[in-house]
Amino acid sequence: GSGIHYACDNPNITLNIIQLLIGAAPDSVRTLTWSGKFPLHSLCGNKGVDESTSIEILTLLIEKCPEAVFHAENDGVLPIHRAFGGGEHLTFAVCSLKRIPDLSE
């Protein structure tokens, strides 16, 4: 994975760090890991990050790479599956559903 993937996996991540990483490497939000994860998948699987921070980062990642919402990892897992998987951040999962873009436009 790239730096942004590792950052999204870190429970101490902040919106500022993600903004700095995207500013330094704008295409990093579209980088896939060997297992087919976008940074959004990593964030959605991070159950240690503060919920309000995760919602801010979620919004930014979807804004920068809306296609990640519908991208399945190599094992078929979508970001929303990761978000609901732990059950700890139900608000985060619901917010992720509300931010799913309409790509038909």
Side-chain angles (χ1 to χ4, degrees):
S2 67
I4 195 168
H5 288 91
Y6 293 118
C8 287
D9 278 331
N10 189 313
N12 299 310
I13 191 58
T14 65
L15 178 61
N16 188 45
I17 291 171
I18 295 298
Q19 290 170 326
L20 289 170
L21 290 168
I22 292 172
D27 290 336
S28 64
V29 294
R30 290 186 160 74
T31 303
L32 292 170
T33 64
W34 62 269
S35 61
K37 286 184 183 179
F38 277 111
L40 181 64
H41 292 83
S42 298
L43 176 69
C44 288
N46 185 347
K47 302 303 178 200
V49 69
D50 172 79
E51 188 170 4
S52 63
T53 300
S54 62
I55 291 170
E56 292 173 339
I57 296 170
L58 171 89
T59 303
L60 178 63
L61 292 178
I62 291 175
E63 175 188 307
K64 298 293 184 181
C65 186
E67 64 272 20
V69 172
F70 301 106
H71 177 82
E73 298 174 35
N74 295 349
D75 60 2
V77 176
L78 295 169
I80 195 67
H81 297 142
R82 294 244 175 257
F84 275 106
E88 296 173 29
H89 293 310
L90 184 57
T91 304
F92 172 76
V94 170
C95 285
S96 66
L97 283 174
K98 290 181 181 178
R99 287 173 174 75
I100 292 175
D102 180 5
L103 298 181
S104 64
E105 296 175 350

